[in-house]
Amino acid sequence: MSEARPDPLHHFPLIRTSDPEELRHLGTHLLGADRVDIRNTGSLHARLNAVELETIALGFGATSCDLVADAFAADFVRLQIALKGRGLACIGGQVTDINERQFAVTSAGVSWQMVCQGGHERLTLRIKQDALLRRLAALVDVKPKANYQFDSAISADDPQAGSLFRLLEFLARQLNEAPSGFTSAVYRELEDAVQIAFLSTSRHKLRDQIAAPGPLPDFGLVKRLEEFIEANWREAITIERLAAEAGVSARSLFRAFERVRGYSPIAFTKSVRLRRARDMLLSGDPTATVASAAAACNFANPGHFARYYRETYGELPSVTVARAAR
């Protein structure tokens, strides 16, 4: 018999209870719910895992019985993805299914109601509204209103939705496997990637502008940004930071790199870090291992680092280490 797969983020338990009163108390005092109504309490078992980073939070929740919760408006955007079973979100009077075909989005500043059927399991992403709007402004060079709204549903069949889901799975897995093993730069870049993926996937007024080509900046800007990345490769290289350094929108920045170099600024950052990692592995330093080089160069996953390295240099990093030792 195969072993049951552990819950996502199981190293970050927040709630474990079979007591209805305890769940009501935790829901109102810990999760900010206005009311928690639990049905079929005889079979109740609820669990919640959650981890919070600087601008985003990621959680996994599961209930064995039917549950209804009313939630106050908050200062973050919430994305809910069904992993098993079905739920409902009533957002601004509109009911949105949360199932294998559809994600649900709750904009900041909007009160909502959550309905979970027994056996429902879900992944929840929360993004701070102010951070998300800063990222959006960097992408389109337009300052959105403070009460910026997102449509309440995302089709799971959208290829970008699939990419967002895989990114969240990756983030959850990495957090669970190495909760304190990343540098702050890695975390900031992962948060940046999640925010951009959400803005590119969700439905909102400026979504089309994210993909639309912006004005092409001076070609010299690309060289200047490459020098900036070379000088700051150990730090977090986010799209917002590059756009601020360049003084142009992110879409103009990407267009310039694609036109001049044929690759993105993020791809260039990865190539710089791979080169720095190769220098470490070739140094002959006995403390320079594949894992230490990957971590020092801000690669969140040693396995992914090894694949990128082999694609770039035609050999695994372990082979480079062995050759340097000889």
Side-chain angles (χ1 to χ4, degrees):
M1 184 175 180
S2 62
E3 186 178 347
R5 179 181 297 181
D7 290 337
L9 301 170
H10 61 273
H11 284 162
F12 301 91
L14 188 62
I15 292 176
R16 295 287 186 278
T17 186
S18 297
D19 183 340
E21 291 307 316
E22 181 182 21
L23 181 57
R24 289 190 183 96
H25 175 79
L26 292 171
T28 54
H29 291 80
L30 187 62
L31 303 180
D34 180 35
R35 177 182 66 93
V36 178
D37 182 15
I38 306 167
R39 300 161 188 174
N40 308 322
T41 57
S43 61
L44 170 64
H45 179 68
R47 58 195 192 276
L48 174 64
N49 308 325
V51 59
E52 186 167 359
L53 301 179
E54 184 177 347
T55 62
I56 70 173
L58 195 60
F60 165 82
T63 54
S64 60
C65 63
D66 297 344
L67 181 148
V68 179
D70 297 329
F72 294 115
D75 61 352
F76 51 78
V77 176
R78 181 188 285 104
L79 170 71
Q80 293 182 295
I81 302 173
L83 302 180
K84 183 180 179 181
R86 180 187 178 215
L88 296 171
C90 184
I91 306 164
Q94 180 178 350
V95 177
T96 301
D97 272 298
I98 309 171
N99 53 37
E100 72 279 4
R101 299 182 303 276
Q102 185 168 261
F103 307 162
V105 178
T106 306
S107 297
V110 178
S111 59
W112 66 294
Q113 183 181 76
M114 177 70 181
V115 180
C116 299
Q117 291 184 342
H120 178 57
E121 298 180 2
R122 64 202 168 279
L123 195 65
T124 300
L125 169 69
R126 298 187 341 193
I127 309 177
K128 291 182 179 178
Q129 173 83 340
D130 57 349
L132 192 62
L133 295 187
R134 285 198 306 271
R135 193 74 70 248
L136 179 58
L139 288 172
V140 301
D141 202 23
V142 173
K143 185 176 181 180
K145 295 181 179 179
N147 63 343
Y148 195 74
Q149 300 291 299
F150 298 87
D151 287 0
S152 60
I154 297 174
S155 171
D157 294 331
D158 186 327
Q160 289 183 311
S163 298
L164 173 60
F165 178 57
R166 288 188 293 274
L167 177 60
L168 295 179
E169 282 189 314
F170 171 80
L171 177 58
R173 187 166 58 251
Q174 298 308 308
L175 287 169
N176 209 52
E177 293 175 356
S180 59
F182 296 163
T183 64
S184 58
V186 171
Y187 281 123
R188 287 198 295 274
E189 290 181 8
L190 286 172
E191 291 181 70
D192 188 62
V194 168
Q195 292 179 29
I196 293 172
F198 174 80
L199 289 169
S200 300
T201 304
S202 57
R203 300 288 176 177
H204 54 96
K205 290 181 179 178
L206 296 175
R207 182 176 187 262
D208 291 342
Q209 292 190 35
I210 294 176
L216 189 64
D218 184 83
F219 286 177
L221 175 68
V222 173
K223 181 62 176 176
R224 181 162 61 86
L225 282 179
E226 287 180 338
E227 292 172 350
F228 174 82
I229 292 169
E230 289 273 10
N232 298 277
W233 65 272
R234 287 186 180 273
E235 303 173 13
I237 304 296
T238 64
I239 297 303
E240 184 179 18
R241 185 178 183 187
L242 289 177
E245 177 69 20
V248 299
S249 69
R251 58 181 176 145
S252 297
L253 187 156
F254 271 87
R255 187 182 176 206
F257 264 83
E258 187 63 35
R259 177 73 67 86
V260 177
R261 299 298 193 210
Y263 50 69
S264 73
I266 302 306
F268 179 74
T269 302
K270 184 170 75 174
S271 71
V272 170
R273 289 172 174 168
L274 284 170
R275 177 162 29 91
R276 298 290 184 173
R278 184 171 177 80
D279 291 343
M280 294 178 189
L281 298 178
L282 285 170
S283 67
D285 183 348
T287 65
T289 65
V290 174
S292 66
C297 297
N298 292 338
F299 287 94
N301 185 294
H304 291 181
F305 164 69
R307 188 179 81 241
Y308 299 147
Y309 189 96
R310 185 174 187 175
E311 290 171 351
T312 302
Y313 297 110
E315 64 182 20
L316 289 170
S318 57
V319 174
T320 304
V321 174
R323 188 171 65 255
R326 291 195 299 269

